Amino acid sequence: MGKPTGFMEFARQEESYEAPESRKKHYKEFIIPLTDEQAKIQGARCMDCGIPFCNNGCPVNNIIPDWNDLVYKGKWQEAIAVLHSTNNFPEFTGRICPAPCEAACTLGINAAPVGIKSIEHAIIDKAWENGWVLPQPAAQKTGKKIAIVGSGPAGLAAAQQLARAGHDVTVFEKRDRIGGLLRYGIPDFKLDKALIDRRVKQLEAEGVTFKTSVCIGEADLPKGVGNDAKEKISPQQLQKDFDAVLLTAGSEVPRDLPVPGRELEGVYFAMEFLPQQNKVNAGDKIKDQIKVTGKHVVVIGGGDTGSDCVGTSNRQGAKSILQLEVMPKPPVEENKPLTWPYWPNKLRTSSSHDEGCERQWSITTKEFKGKNGKLQSMVIATVEWSKDAQTGQMKMSEVPGTEKEIPAEAVFLAMGFTNPVACLLESFGVDKDARGNARATTDGEGCYATNVPKVFAAGDVRRGQSLVVWAVREGRQAAREVDAFLMGESVLPR
């Protein structure tokens, strides 16, 4: 390594943020990246640990020690080449990935881990600024045509890999813009959508064709699943027109909360709320947009989507925001000897929480109440968790005397997603697993292939709700399998 003693000499430095009261007034990104010198010092903290657990902690297996060393030595152009060798879109992961690599960092056993995510962010931003990210069109075309259904990170990663292998790739998206949940699930203040547009232009220059507002084999979609389709193409037509089809449509069906009063106006899925604000930010006019200005807001669900609802509600000017989680409050610090190098259970406070939000744990929702069809309040209660003596599973029970009614004029259900849209898989005849995902393996012969000839599946549509970085991994791996299926072998990396 460039600085063998760096981890003993330098402290971890986080990226800084614009002040909460200032950033709540807009929807732009507010992270202040590291300077070149700061990134160099953080790269110097990477120890020559012998076994870089960060590589396996990262789903795309980023070669992290190598680009940390290159940043320390000021070799930025070499650093982006190494980073791009495993990750098609580091500007996405460098902003929104929770960084499981840092949880696996060897230095993190007894000190603050290397700031891997902030270094990745610095590398890709510098690469774009200097014009080092250029289209890489294939030298020769294969004549093979591939359809990709869904334009989220899995679909985009697969499209880029397959186009560079020389195939003609067409990406179909039911929304009016490319990006999937990158576009409409993640707020602009966490991911500037110009970053997606910039990558789309690169992919187009590499030969990828994008078709928006096109539905593939889907009937009426469940509530909370967006659809801007003006055209519909049957799976049979797609299979006829293309040599292979890759499904990367995500896991979009939100988990519901069937309690009394669920039908009241004011109870929404998070994915009814967040995409509307992103569309407005993009210049669209939304009739009857969900707005929480001056309202008591309750967010049910303690994950990233819930946090995004908190940040958006703050920017719309909510009167109060309460975030509820049914699980117990995690510990402030993880038990490192027990969890390292795996992702730990610990209390995580997001930038949206810092902007203003009350959080409560071990809370269940019993009822929504309203008048004239509009939500006014909700009934909640405290629960406790215990292990079932027979099954060993954790079970929930309500604590007597804890039931109470609280004001709630807008409630957002942010409890995760259960499965892909069933009608998409059923229209192709794709077998589903026990959770309703497309059934396809990731090892052995026929990786990512479904039971339907020449139809593959990758990303959340196959593995279920997950991270952007896992979607990129699966898109890349599935691209290799599709390439091998069409050509008999593949030179694409897995």
Side-chain angles (χ1 to χ4, degrees), residues 134-452:
L134 299 171
Q136 299 177 37
Q140 292 182 322
K141 302 293 283 186
T142 65
K144 300 292 186 181
K145 298 169 62 180
I146 302 164
I148 296 180
V149 181
S151 68
L156 292 178
Q160 185 162 66
Q161 296 297 96
L162 289 166
R164 290 177 175 178
H167 304 301
D168 291 321
V169 180
T170 302
V171 177
F172 295 91
E173 169 59 51
K174 67 177 179 291
R175 290 282 204 171
D176 58 351
R177 295 180 178 89
I178 294 298
L181 286 184
L182 289 172
R183 174 76 64 179
Y184 286 129
I186 298 172
D188 291 4
F189 54 81
K190 288 177 65 175
L191 181 68
D192 187 336
K193 302 310 179 272
L195 303 178
I196 305 173
D197 298 334
R198 187 169 60 182
R199 279 294 182 181
V200 168
K201 288 181 180 178
Q202 182 196 27
L203 267 67
E204 287 176 331
E206 293 174 348
V208 177
T209 299
F210 292 98
K211 293 190 176 182
T212 56
S213 301
V214 178
C215 228
I216 307 297
E218 295 177 357
D220 294 333
L221 297 177
K223 191 177 183 182
V225 177
N227 185 9
D228 301 308
K230 298 177 182 177
E231 180 184 353
K232 184 175 179 181
I233 300 176
S234 71
Q236 294 72 30
Q237 188 65 46
L238 214 62
Q239 290 166 282
K240 178 182 176 182
D241 294 343
F242 292 88
D243 299 296
V245 177
L246 175 58
L247 305 180
T248 58
S251 179
E252 294 186 281
V253 180
R255 184 172 284 107
D256 207 345
L257 187 60
V259 299
R262 169 63 182 89
E263 76 288 349
L264 290 170
E265 180 185 340
V267 183
Y268 309 101
F269 288 118
M271 284 300 125
E272 293 179 86
F273 175 54
L274 297 175
Q276 287 190 358
Q277 186 59 58
N278 284 8
K279 279 177 170 283
V280 170
N281 294 345
D284 294 354
K285 295 187 182 298
I286 304 295
K287 184 181 179 181
D288 300 324
Q289 181 191 357
I290 300 169
K291 297 279 285 186
V292 298
T293 308
K295 293 183 178 181
H296 293 289
V297 174
V298 178
V299 178
I300 301 178
D304 286 341
T305 303
S307 174
D308 294 343
C309 289
V310 170
T312 303
S313 296
N314 267 316
R315 282 159 179 76
Q316 287 190 359
K319 185 174 184 178
S320 69
I321 305 173
L322 171 64
Q323 187 174 22
L324 304 178
E325 170 58 57
V326 72
M327 299 302 294
K329 184 177 182 178
V332 174
E333 294 291 336
E334 72 269 37
N335 186 337
K336 287 187 178 181
L338 180 66
T339 61
W340 183 89
Y342 302 107
W343 186 248
N345 177 38
K346 62 184 290 187
L347 180 65
R348 303 179 192 278
T349 300
S350 73
S351 58
S352 291
H353 296 139
D354 288 336
E355 293 166 1
C357 169
E358 180 187 353
R359 291 193 282 174
Q360 295 181 16
W361 289 265
S362 297
I363 300 293
T364 187
T365 301
K366 301 188 69 175
E367 183 181 1
F368 298 115
K369 291 186 173 183
K371 186 176 182 181
N372 299 324
K374 292 188 176 183
L375 177 70
Q376 291 184 324
S377 63
M378 58 188 289
V379 179
I380 61 174
T382 302
V383 296
E384 58 184 5
W385 293 85
S386 59
K387 184 176 289 188
D388 188 286
Q390 294 182 330
T391 66
Q393 294 181 329
M394 297 299 292
K395 62 179 182 179
M396 181 183 79
S397 58
E398 183 179 331
V399 178
T402 61
E403 180 180 304
K404 62 179 179 179
E405 186 172 342
I406 62 171
E409 296 164 288
V411 170
F412 299 117
L413 307 181
M415 304 177 295
F417 303 87
T418 59
N419 52 267
V421 177
C423 54
L424 172 66
L425 302 182
E426 290 165 359
S427 64
F428 275 93
V430 169
D431 285 347
K432 293 181 281 188
D433 64 17
R435 296 183 299 159
N437 303 320
R439 187 185 297 278
T441 64
T442 58
D443 52 21
E445 193 172 342
C447 289
Y448 294 97
T450 69
N451 61 298
V452 180

Side-chain angles (χ1 to χ4, degrees), residues 430-489:
V430 169
D431 285 347
K432 293 181 281 188
D433 64 17
R435 296 183 299 159
N437 303 320
R439 187 185 297 278
T441 64
T442 58
D443 52 21
E445 193 172 342
C447 289
Y448 294 97
T450 69
N451 61 298
V452 180
K454 72 179 189 180
V455 176
F456 297 76
D460 289 7
V461 75
R462 188 206 67 83
R463 68 178 286 116
Q465 174 191 342
S466 192
L467 305 175
V468 166
V469 69
W470 272 107
V472 172
R473 171 196 174 105
E474 294 221 346
R476 288 173 60 89
Q477 291 187 345
R480 177 182 171 87
E481 298 304 320
V482 172
D483 185 39
F485 165 74
L486 293 174
M487 308 303 293
E489 59 182 2

Side-chain angles (χ1 to χ4, degrees), residues 36-49:
D36 288 3
E37 184 61 26
Q38 289 170 336
K40 174 182 177 178
I41 291 173
Q42 293 309 297
R45 296 187 70 241
C46 186
M47 34 188 322
D48 190 6
C49 58

